[in-house]
Amino acid sequence: MHSYLTFSAEVQAARVSGKPVVALESTIISHGMPYPQNVQTARAVEQIIRDAGAVPATIAIMNGKINIGLSDAELELLGQSADAMKVSRRDLPYVLSSQRLGATTVAATMICAALAEINVFVTGGIGGVHRGAETSFDISADLQELAQTSVAVVCAGAKSILDLGLTLEYLETHGVPVVSVGQEEFPAFFTRHSGFPADFRLDTAEQQASFIHTKWALGLRGGVVIANPVPEASAMPQHEIEQMTVQALSEAQQQGVVGKAVTPFLLSRIKQLTGGRSLETNIALVKNNALLGAKLAIALHNCH
Ligand code: PSU
Ligand code: MN
């Protein structure tokens, strides 16, 4: 096993006894939600996975190591630290070699999960092709990672701060299957509807696991997007989100926000504009994804 990896006692025990493990990202903790809701949510999400019979492994970079599973103190440190670096693929060698504190994005969490032989990963929303990418070239490294790293990513779709049509086109070009759960449509994170169909609909964990197992058994490397719509009762009104997204996008442009700062800027601005409501939606959908991820990890475990 890779010398940069270090496992929590809980995850190490799961590896020894062969229990299914579910990876969780940490940018959602450091850059996606405010303290203390971020730490509370991270703990609640881990507990949902345990209660469903799998083992949670929140991933972050600390002291030159990739931590697979965090202790309570480590989770608290990450949740409170103002200077945790947002780490995607290109940032991994820097954060490790400089011994900085790093929170992993979807792309970096997939890389670390694969190194640790974990094949199911739960998050809120994936990155994608940004609106206006034809001039900004802003396309999340998450999409390239999905193209090449063999981890199933459970999410609630992607936020409409992105161009969801172009995001789906990009995934198609790179051979990444997009599977919706319980509906035909690709969900848009805060809402269940994007106006775009997913590639396939698979409602049960067994169907999803069989699909993923088949992909990898064929030697087709790369990820699968499992898009699990936010529960109806927790979804936000479509027009409201769209209005705030347009405002946040224009502010980002006026203020010259570029590069890796774009996504955190938009997420935090939308959070402010919706008051606490978008945060409640965000927490509900991550919990909903955690349950699905645990069931999927168990079903995939039984495929082998
Ligand atoms: N989208 C969300 N919530 C998030 C992110 C995206 O709805 O927290 C985070 C994830 O960590 C994702 C990253 O991998 O932002 C994408 O950033 P970028 O667009 O800079 O690649
Ligand atoms: Mn970007």
Side-chain angles (χ1 to χ4, degrees):
M1 189 52 58
H2 216 282
S3 65
Y4 287 101
L5 295 177
T6 176
F7 295 89
S8 68
E10 182 185 21
V11 175
Q12 185 54 31
R15 289 164 54 79
V16 170
S17 65
K19 272 184 100 176
V21 179
V22 176
L24 296 160
E25 70 153 302
S26 46
T27 296
I28 193 172
I29 302 172
S30 66
H31 293 69
M33 290 183 192
Y35 183 82
Q37 288 95 333
N38 57 355
V39 174
Q40 286 162 3
T41 303
R43 290 214 174 98
V45 163
E46 289 189 343
Q47 197 53 46
I48 288 168
I49 290 171
R50 286 186 196 104
D51 292 345
V55 174
T58 303
I59 294 180
I61 314 297
M62 294 179 181
N63 307 312
K65 293 280 185 192
I66 299 168
N67 285 40
I68 309 291
L70 301 183
S71 67
D72 276 355
E74 288 165 339
L75 202 58
E76 192 69 30
L77 172 74
L78 194 72
Q80 290 208 38
S81 174
D83 52 27
M85 190 178 162
K86 174 184 162 189
V87 179
S88 191
R89 167 178 274 265
R90 61 121 194 241
D91 311 295
L92 259 180
Y94 174 78
V95 73
L96 281 166
S97 62
S98 65
Q99 315 242 327
R100 289 192 55 181
L101 180 62
T104 50
T105 62
V106 168
T109 307
M110 288 179 76
I111 294 169
C112 299
L115 285 172
E117 297 172 336
I118 301 169
N119 55 20
V120 176
F121 158 36
V122 166
T123 185
I126 56 170
V129 179
H130 283 255
R131 297 190 191 185
E134 62 274 21
T135 52
S136 69
F137 273 39
D138 192 351
I139 300 173
S140 175
D142 293 354
L143 300 186
Q144 275 298 315
E145 210 56 55
L146 281 159
Q148 61 181 310
T149 300
S150 300
V151 174
V153 179
V154 180
C155 62
K159 284 203 175 94
S160 57
I161 56 171
L162 303 168
D163 187 319
L164 298 183
L166 292 187
T167 299
L168 292 168
E169 288 291 350
Y170 193 98
L171 290 169
E172 181 196 1
T173 299
H174 290 278
V176 179
V178 176
V179 173
S180 266
V181 181
Q183 64 181 34
E184 315 287 326
E185 207 176 340
F186 182 63
F189 192 92
F190 288 124
T191 67
R192 297 169 65 86
H193 306 292
S194 66
F196 297 96
D199 304 324
F200 313 105
R201 171 180 173 172
L202 298 172
D203 289 356
T204 70
E206 287 68 30
Q207 290 170 329
Q208 295 150 16
S210 172
F211 177 97
I212 293 163
H213 179 75
T214 303
K215 169 171 167 139
W216 293 336
L218 288 168
L220 301 175
R221 280 185 315 116
V224 174
V225 176
I226 303 290
N228 187 30
V230 61
E232 188 69 66
S234 303
M236 293 200 62
Q238 179 110 38
H239 63 277
E240 194 178 322
I241 275 297
E242 180 57 26
Q243 206 180 319
M244 283 156 187
T245 300
V246 168
Q247 183 177 337
L249 284 167
S250 97
E251 288 176 8
Q253 201 166 22
Q254 278 161 24
Q255 295 175 36
V257 180
V258 291
K260 70 191 279 189
V262 172
T263 296
F265 177 92
L266 294 174
L267 301 185
S268 97
R269 205 53 199 116
I270 287 172
K271 208 155 50 201
Q272 287 166 353
L273 291 168
T274 59
R277 297 187 40 237
S278 69
L279 183 58
E280 273 172 47
T281 300
N282 203 341
I283 292 169
L285 66 84
V286 176
K287 289 181 176 173
N288 188 48
N289 293 345
L291 182 59
L292 189 153
K295 289 181 185 163
L296 176 57
I298 293 164
L300 207 46
H301 201 66
N302 295 333
C303 275
H304 296 293

